[in-house]
Amino acid sequence: MAGCVLCSAIVAAPLRVVGLKSESLVDPIQLDSASPRLAWKLRAESSSDRGRSQSAYRILVASSLERLQANEGDLWDSGRVESSRSTLIAYEGQALASRQACYWKVMVWDESGRASDWSPVASWTMALLEVEDWKGSDWIGLGKDTRTSKLAEREFMFRKNPEMRRSHASPLLRKEVELPKPVKRALAYVSGVGYSEFYVNGQKMGDAVLDPGQTNYEKHTLYVTHDITESLRKGINALGIWLGSGFFGQNVAWEEDFDYGQPRARAKVFVEYEDGTVEEFGTDSSWKATTSPVVFDNVYWGETYDARLEIPDWASVGCDESLWQSAVWLEAPCPTEKLRSQLIPPIRVQRLIEPVEVKDIGGGKYVVDFGENLAGWVEIEVEQEAGDVITIVAGERMEPDGVTVNTGTSGGAPGRIQEMIYVARGDGPERWSPRFAYHGFQYIEISGLRSAPQPGQLKAALVHSDIQKTGRFESSEELLNLQYEITCRTLEANWHSIPEDCPAREKCGWLGDAHATSDISFYGYDIERFLAKFLRDIEDSLRPDARYEQVVGWGDGVPTFVAPGKRTPNWPLAIDWAVAYVILNWDLYLHTGDADVFRRHYQNIKHFVSYFESMRGPGEILPSGLGDWCPPLWDRKSAPEYMYCHPHVSGTAFYYRALQISEKMAGLFGEREYEAYCGKLAEDVKDAFNEAYLVEDAASGSLFYGSQTATVMALKFGMVPEDKIEAVVRGLVRDIEDLHAGHHAVGIHGLRHIYTVLADFGHETLAGKMLLDRTFPGPGYLADYGFTTWPERQFNWDKEPRYRNSMNHPMQGGFAAFFYEGIGGIRPVFDGAGYQTIEFRPRLMAELDWARVSKESPYGTIRSEWRRTEEGLQWVLEIPVNSEAVAYLPTGSLEAVSESGSDLENVSGIRNAEVSTDAMRPSVKLRLGSGQYSFLIED
C-alpha cells in the first residue's frame, strides 16, 4: 500500500476563519513593526471533516471600522492570493504612521475553491515609530527629598542594616493637565525603570505589576502602552507615575557594579479630541516629585512600606503639592531610538493562595505554610496601632526543628534574606502587599501582629508573566501527572519578563537553564513572544572574549552565561550555556514556523560558529563548557558513581548540535556554500568525538561514551555511527541498570533527553520504570518527598537534608517534554515547521493504561489520546485544519489497524499507508490530512 492515495476529503461546508492575531497578539495597541505579521486559524463545521485546507486568502486592512465594514481596504487589499499560508503573513499595504489604528479581516478559499465568509474584525494600533514622537518628554526623577528622612532613618535603624541608607528612593511623580474638549482617544506611552505604575485621576492603569520587563537598559529600554481614553474627562486631569528600583536600581544587592542608577521615567501622552485635533503631554521639569511610602525596595531583599507616609490623593486632581519639589532631569538609560515597545505578556497576579497551616512558635511569631512553593508576595489585612512594625521573612523550606523558616535557599548570592515589612497607619483595617519586589517561598515567619492571624488575613499572591497555558497532559499514572504539575508550577514561578533560574535567590536568565526548558515551554505555553524577547536580551548581552580578540568576524561578540543585565559572571565563555542562543532560535522556528526571528540572529550565530571553531583543540575536540549541570550528589566527593559528564565531551556534542542547526537554517535561507561548510565541519567534529570518547566494554560487548549524559547526547544528536547504534544503546542501558540500579546519573543536559532516547531506541519499559521509580534520585522520589517545585540540586533528602540551594529551579524539569513528544508522541518537524506538519510517535503505550495530551499550535488544537482496551489500543488523533500529520502506529501489520470500524483503504483523510521500520521497531506509517481520527490497533 506504500505510496498510494487511499481517499480524498469528503465534500463539506466552507471553512470558518477565527483567531485573528497581529504579531501573535490579539488586538494589540503597541505594535512597533512597520510591517506587522498577520495570522488566523481555520475551523471546519464538523469534527468529521477531514483533509481540509486553505488554497487562497484575501486580507483587507482599513483605516476605520466603517470602511472595513463596507469591504474597503484603503490601507491594504491583498486581493486573492493563491497560498496555503495562514500564519506570519507580512502586511504589504500603505506605510503606517505612529499611533495609527488599523482594522482588518480575512476570507479564505478551501481545498475545493469554496470561499468562506469574512472573519470577525480584528485590529491593531501602531506604537511610536519615530524618535521625533518622543519630543517634548524627558527622563525625570526625584532630587534630594528630606520629607521622610526622620521616619526613614528610624526604619533603617530598625532593620539594622546600614547598607539600606544608600538605597534608591521610590518616587512619586505627578502632573495636572487641562483638556479643553471632549476626548475621542488617548494613549499613554510610559517607560519607568526599574518598575513603574501609571495612574490617571487616582486610578492605576491596567492590572500589570512589575512593569516594564527587564532588559539591558543601556541597549534597549521597554515602554508600556496604555489606552487611557475612558479614564480622562474634559477639564483638569491628574497623571501620576510611581517608581521602584526593580533590576535597574541594584546598588545594595549583589554589587554596585550591577546598578544602572536611581529610578526614572519618561512618558508621552497623546490626546485626540473628537474634532480631530491632537494634544501632547510629556514628562519634564514641570512635573512634581516626592518620596512614596515605599521607604525601601529591592527586588532581591524586599520592600518596606510605611503607611504613615501615604498621600491618599497623590495621583488625583487637587493634591496639595506644597511639600513636593520639581522633578529633576536624569540621564537617559539608552538613546531614544532604543526605546522599544513591550510586546511580551505583562506580569500579573495570577491567584491568591490561602494558608494550609498557621503555627504559633512563641514570642509573637507565627509560621505560615501556603502549601506550595511559589513566586510572588504576601498580602496582609490587619488592624494595628500606628507605628506597629510587621515583619515577614520568606523561605522555601522549614528547618528540621519544624519552627524555623529556612532562609539559606534564598539568601546567599544577593547577600540578604527575603523580607516584607509593613509599618501600620493605625486608623482601622489596613490592606497591603509589596509592589516592587517579589520572592520565592512556601513558608513565612510573621511577627509584629497584635493577635494571632485569622482566616483571610494572610494570603500569598502568585505573580508571574501572564503567559497563556496552551498544553495539557494527563495519564493513568498519578505520579506522572504530579511530575507534570510540578514542572508547570516551576516554569511559571520563574517567568518574570525573562526565563529565570530561580525566583528566590538569583532571579537571573541563565542560558543553560533556558535551553534545558525550551521544548517543554513551547509544548505547554504560548511562549513565542516571551522567548523572542529573551533572544533580543541575549543579543544585547553579546560580548567579546579578550583571549581571542585577534580573531576577526565575531560582530558584537558571543553569548555570555546570563542575559539580560550586568549579573553575568566573569568566567571563560562556555559553549554549553552559550549554545542556548542557537537552540532557542531553532526551537522557536520548529514550534512556530517563524524564520524571521532566526534570520535576525543569523549573523550572530555565524559568529558563534566561528568563535568556537577557533577554540577547537587537538583531535578536533572543543575544550569548552561547564559539563553536565547538577547531576545527583553533584558536589559530593563521596559519590564517585555520580561523576558528571566531562565539559569537553558535552561541549563538543553541543558544538556539533549547533553546526547541525546552522546547516539546516543556511539551507532554508538559500546559503548553499555555508550550508556545505557547516555540514562538513559537523562531520569532522562527529568523527573526532567518536575517536576520542567512544569506548567498548569488553565484557558486555557494548559501547559507551563515558557517561550517561554523553551517550544520551550522542544518540539524540545523531553522532553515533549507524552500525554502532545498537551497541551504544546496550551500553546506555547497561550503565543505567547494572551500574546505577536502574537510575539516571545525569544533570540537566542529559536529563532533558534521556527518557525520549530510551523510548525511541526500543527501551520504553525502562523509561517508564525510571519515571515511576520512587527511590533516589528519580523524579518520583522528589515528588514523593513533598517538593511542589523542582529543586536545583539532586540530593538524597531522607539521609541528608541540604537546604542551601534553590528549591525552585525549572532546569530540572526539562525532561517533562517527554510527556508531549514521548507519551503523547506530538513532535514538530523541520519540513513543515510550526506544526504545519505534525509527527506522532507515541511511547509507553504498553506501560500506561491511557494518556491524554494536547497542545495549541499556530493552526489550532493538536490532540493525541490513547487507551488500552480489551479489543486493543484505541488512539484518537486531532489534526487542525491546514495541517497534516505523519503518524506511527505501534504495529507491523496494516491489517491490525482500523479507523472508526473501517479498514484503512476505506477511510477518508488517509493519504498514504505503509509498514515502516524505524528506530529498531516496526510500525504502520500513515500520512493524514486534517480532522479527527479514531484508530484501533488490535493486539
Side-chain angles (χ1 to χ4, degrees):
M1 299 176 66
C4 67
V5 176
L6 302 183
C7 302
S8 58
I10 298 173
V11 175
L15 297 171
R16 289 187 298 115
V17 185
V18 299
L20 276 64
K21 289 186 176 183
S22 312
E23 287 295 334
S24 303
L25 301 170
V26 176
D27 297 336
I29 61 171
Q30 77 278 28
L31 294 191
D32 58 0
S33 169
S35 298
R37 297 171 304 169
L38 311 179
W40 55 88
K41 294 179 180 178
L42 302 171
R43 295 285 186 270
E45 289 297 327
S46 170
S47 61
S48 63
D49 287 359
R50 293 179 179 168
R52 306 302 308 278
S53 61
Q54 172 189 297
S55 61
Y57 66 82
R58 180 187 178 194
I59 299 171
L60 291 183
V61 183
S63 59
S64 70
L65 185 59
E66 292 74 22
R67 284 183 165 176
L68 189 67
Q69 289 172 336
N71 293 335
E72 180 186 350
D74 62 317
L75 295 178
W76 186 37
D77 183 345
S78 71
R80 176 169 171 158
V81 179
E82 303 295 327
S83 172
S84 63
R85 291 184 61 200
S86 58
T87 66
L88 303 168
I89 298 172
Y91 169 84
E92 296 180 352
Q94 295 184 24
L96 300 175
S98 297
R99 301 180 291 107
Q100 183 167 358
C102 303
Y103 303 87
W104 70 288
K105 61 184 179 180
V106 63
M107 66 181 300
V108 304
W109 287 261
D110 67 11
E111 69 284 348
S112 299
R114 290 165 298 181
S116 71
D117 291 334
W118 284 107
S119 70
V121 173
S123 67
W124 79 80
T125 300
M126 303 305 293
L128 301 184
L129 306 180
E130 307 295 339
V131 170
E132 290 72 21
D133 295 327
W134 289 96
K135 284 186 176 179
S137 68
D138 298 315
W139 286 96
I140 62 171
L142 176 69
K144 184 173 178 57
D145 190 335
T146 61
R147 183 177 75 92
T148 62
S149 61
K150 188 173 292 186
L151 289 172
E153 262 314 285
R154 174 183 172 187
E155 189 56 34
F156 292 142
M157 290 174 63
F158 177 83
R159 293 183 64 134
K160 299 179 181 178
N161 192 333
E163 289 291 296
M164 295 179 182
R165 294 178 184 272
R166 58 184 177 86
S167 66
H168 299 304
S170 168
L172 300 174
L173 306 172
R174 62 172 272 113
K175 167 81 172 179
E176 291 187 4
V177 298
E178 184 173 5
L179 307 182
K181 295 174 284 188
V183 175
K184 179 181 179 182
R185 194 180 195 193
L187 295 171
Y189 303 90
V190 182
S191 183
V193 291
Y195 292 138
S196 61
E197 297 177 347
F198 185 63
Y199 290 76
V200 176
N201 292 326
Q203 298 298 313
K204 178 188 169 187
M205 295 294 97
D207 57 358
V209 298
L210 305 174
D211 230 7
Q214 181 189 5
T215 60
N216 290 76
Y217 299 101
E218 75 280 14
K219 298 289 185 69
H220 281 104
T221 300
L222 299 180
Y223 64 87
V224 178
T225 304
H226 299 278
D227 187 335
I228 61 174
T229 307
E230 299 301 319
S231 299
L232 295 175
R233 55 179 177 260
K234 183 180 177 182
I236 304 297
N237 292 264
L239 308 176
I241 301 173
W242 196 336
L243 290 172
S245 293
F247 290 96
F248 186 83
Q250 279 304 323
N251 66 331
V252 292
W254 301 101
E255 302 170 4
E256 287 193 35
D257 289 344
F258 299 153
D259 185 37
Y260 287 92
Q262 72 182 81
R264 61 203 64 194
R266 188 178 191 181
K268 191 72 179 289
V269 177
F270 293 83
V271 179
E272 180 183 355
Y273 297 111
E274 290 183 354
D275 64 5
T277 59
V278 176
E279 191 169 5
E280 303 176 11
F281 304 93
T283 46
D284 56 25
S285 59
S286 69
W287 283 58
K288 298 296 183 180
T290 191
T291 50
S292 78
V294 177
V295 297
F296 173 80
D297 73 286
N298 182 276
V299 74
Y300 291 98
W301 288 4
E303 181 172 313
T304 297
Y305 185 94
D306 192 336
R308 298 169 298 176
L309 304 179
E310 289 178 340
I311 308 172
D313 61 349
W314 74 271
S316 298
V317 173
C319 173
D320 180 3
E321 297 179 347
S322 60
L323 295 179
W324 293 57
Q325 62 175 261
S326 294
V328 299
W329 176 90
L330 293 173
E331 185 177 353
C334 70
T336 300
E337 63 267 20
K338 297 297 185 179
L339 280 172
R340 199 168 83 227
S341 180
Q342 178 166 284
L343 301 177
I344 59 173
I347 301 171
R348 291 189 172 100
V349 175
Q350 302 296 317
R351 57 187 171 94
L352 296 177
I353 303 167
E354 298 279 355
V356 297
E357 182 182 17
V358 178
K359 182 185 297 185
D360 186 341
I361 61 172
K365 297 180 179 180
Y366 302 88
V367 168
V368 182
D369 178 3
F370 290 102
E372 62 182 88
N373 205 6
L374 62 110
W377 49 66
V378 176
E379 181 180 291
I380 63 174
E381 187 170 350
V382 296
E383 288 195 54
Q384 303 278 140
E385 295 295 325
D388 283 356
V389 178
I390 298 171
T391 301
I392 300 170
V393 177
E396 298 181 289
R397 300 292 294 181
M398 293 295 295
E399 295 288 3
D401 63 12
V403 296
T404 305
V405 175
N406 173 278
T407 58
T409 73
S410 56
R416 191 169 173 83
I417 61 176
Q418 305 176 111
E419 286 184 302
M420 294 162 268
I421 297 178
Y422 180 74
V423 183
R425 189 174 57 247
D427 58 356
E430 303 174 48
R431 176 176 292 176
W432 173 78
S433 61
R435 56 176 21 93
F436 296 133
Y438 67 96
H439 306 291
F441 65 97
Q442 177 173 335
Y443 304 91
I444 62 167
E445 179 190 281
I446 184 168
S447 61
L449 296 174
R450 290 188 170 252
S451 59
Q454 301 300 307
Q457 191 175 357
L458 302 174
K459 298 176 183 178
L462 174 64
V463 178
H464 59 74
S465 293
D466 196 16
I467 298 170
Q468 183 183 2
K469 197 171 189 176
T470 55
R472 176 193 177 202
F473 169 81
E474 189 178 8
S475 77
S476 56
E477 281 289 347
E478 283 302 319
L479 186 57
L480 296 185
N481 300 339
L482 179 57
Q483 291 172 32
Y484 181 69
E485 178 185 332
I486 292 171
T487 300
C488 291
R489 187 181 291 116
T490 312
L491 286 170
E492 292 168 4
N494 285 277
W495 288 334
H496 298 97
S497 81
I498 64 170
E500 298 167 331
D501 62 332
C502 57
R505 189 177 75 242
E506 294 190 59
K507 298 180 168 74
C508 288
W510 285 90
L511 271 62
D513 305 49
H515 75 72
T517 57
S518 174
D519 279 316
I520 183 56
S521 300
F522 276 111
Y523 275 124
Y525 297 85
D526 183 7
I527 198 81
E528 176 184 359
R529 290 237 60 101
F530 186 79
L531 287 184
K533 181 263 185 188
F534 185 59
L535 284 166
R536 290 289 297 271
D537 294 332
I538 298 174
E539 177 187 6
D540 285 348
S541 302
L542 296 175
R543 72 178 188 190
D545 188 333
R547 299 172 304 155
Y548 296 93
E549 61 184 4
Q550 73 277 10
V551 181
V552 297
W554 296 341
D556 294 328
V558 289
T560 61
F561 289 94
V562 171
K566 301 181 178 183
R567 168 67 182 88
T568 192
N570 191 27
W571 303 341
L573 300 178
I575 190 170
D576 37 16
W577 259 242
V579 76
Y581 194 34
V582 184
I583 290 176
L584 290 179
N585 269 292
W586 172 257
D587 287 348
L588 192 146
Y589 175 68
L590 279 187
H591 288 276
T592 71
D594 189 348
D596 291 340
V597 173
F598 202 111
R599 187 176 286 108
R600 173 187 175 81
H601 301 282
Y602 183 48
Q603 288 303 317
N604 287 329
I605 289 173
K606 285 184 172 182
H607 301 153
F608 174 100
V609 169
S610 298
Y611 171 81
F612 285 106
E613 169 62 8
S614 74
M615 293 181 65
R616 287 169 65 199
E620 308 296 331
I621 296 305
L622 189 68
S624 174
L626 299 183
D628 203 11
W629 201 249
C630 293
L633 305 180
W634 182 40
D635 55 358
R636 299 305 307 275
K637 294 180 180 179
S638 60
E641 69 272 21
Y642 289 108
M643 288 298 290
Y644 61 95
C645 178
H646 192 281
H648 296 181
V649 184
S650 56
T652 303
F654 273 128
Y655 186 53
Y656 177 79
R657 182 63 181 143
L659 290 168
Q660 283 183 310
I661 292 170
S662 300
E663 178 187 12
K664 284 277 192 181
M665 296 310 292
L668 184 71
F669 297 150
E671 294 194 7
R672 301 305 173 196
E673 185 175 342
Y674 191 68
E675 178 187 16
Y677 169 78
C678 290
K680 175 62 169 60
L681 187 54
E683 285 301 311
D684 292 344
V685 171
K686 181 170 75 172
D687 291 344
F689 183 86
N690 285 294
E691 178 68 24
Y693 301 123
L694 185 56
V695 177
E696 182 178 6
D697 178 72
S700 65
S702 62
L703 297 173
F704 198 55
Y705 287 90
S707 69
Q708 289 182 19
T709 289
T711 307
V712 165
M713 294 175 76
L715 287 165
K716 181 62 182 179
F717 299 162
M719 302 182 78
V720 183
E722 189 171 349
D723 62 342
K724 293 180 171 58
I725 289 176
E726 187 174 347
V728 169
V729 172
R730 286 203 313 271
L732 175 61
V733 171
R734 174 182 174 273
D735 189 84
I736 293 170
E737 293 187 327
D738 298 345
L739 303 183
H740 293 93
H743 293 131
H744 73 255
V746 296
I748 63 172
H749 301 326
L751 190 60
R752 162 60 189 94
H753 298 296
I754 190 168
Y755 303 113
T756 301
V757 164
L758 285 170
D760 281 356
F761 287 94
H763 291 276
E764 296 174 65
T765 299
L766 178 57
K769 179 182 177 182
M770 292 169 67
L771 282 165
L772 296 173
D773 193 304
R774 296 178 182 271
T775 59
F776 176 79
Y781 167 80
L782 296 174
D784 276 352
Y785 193 78
F787 289 107
T788 60
T789 52
W790 297 120
E792 179 180 10
R793 300 290 183 90
Q794 302 179 55
F795 292 121
N796 193 332
W797 306 94
D798 289 311
K799 295 181 178 180
E800 186 181 7
R802 293 165 62 87
Y803 303 140
R804 72 162 190 247
N805 298 102
S806 162
M807 297 294 157
N808 197 338
H809 242 71
M811 68 181 189
Q812 295 287 8
F815 75 92
F818 176 71
F819 296 158
Y820 285 89
E821 70 190 16
I823 296 176
I826 301 171
R827 306 187 185 194
V829 295
F830 179 75
D831 297 321
Y835 297 98
Q836 187 163 29
T837 300
I838 308 154
E839 187 175 271
F840 290 101
R841 292 178 181 266
R843 306 303 191 207
L844 272 61
M845 287 179 144
E847 288 69 32
L848 303 176
D849 292 332
W850 57 266
R852 290 193 286 265
V853 185
S854 65
K855 74 164 270 85
E856 197 68 18
S857 81
Y859 298 91
T861 302
I862 301 169
R863 182 163 59 103
S864 173
E865 298 184 3
W866 53 263
R867 177 182 297 272
R868 288 195 285 120
T869 68
E870 291 183 359
E871 292 78 22
L873 183 69
Q874 190 79 37
W875 187 19
V876 176
L877 293 177
E878 182 175 352
I879 303 160
V881 174
N882 219 28
S883 291
E884 63 175 7
V886 177
Y888 293 84
L889 284 65
T891 178
S893 170
L894 288 167
E895 289 71 26
V897 182
S898 60
E899 196 284 321
S900 298
S902 299
D903 295 336
L904 293 183
E905 60 264 24
N906 299 317
V907 176
S908 67
I910 298 180
R911 297 170 177 172
N912 180 266
E914 61 183 2
V915 175
S916 171
T917 300
D918 181 74
M920 301 187 293
R921 75 185 71 208
S923 60
V924 167
K925 178 182 177 182
L926 303 179
R927 183 168 291 277
L928 307 171
S930 67
Q932 295 185 22
Y933 299 82
S934 179
F935 294 106
L936 178 65
I937 301 102
E938 296 178 359
D939 296 332

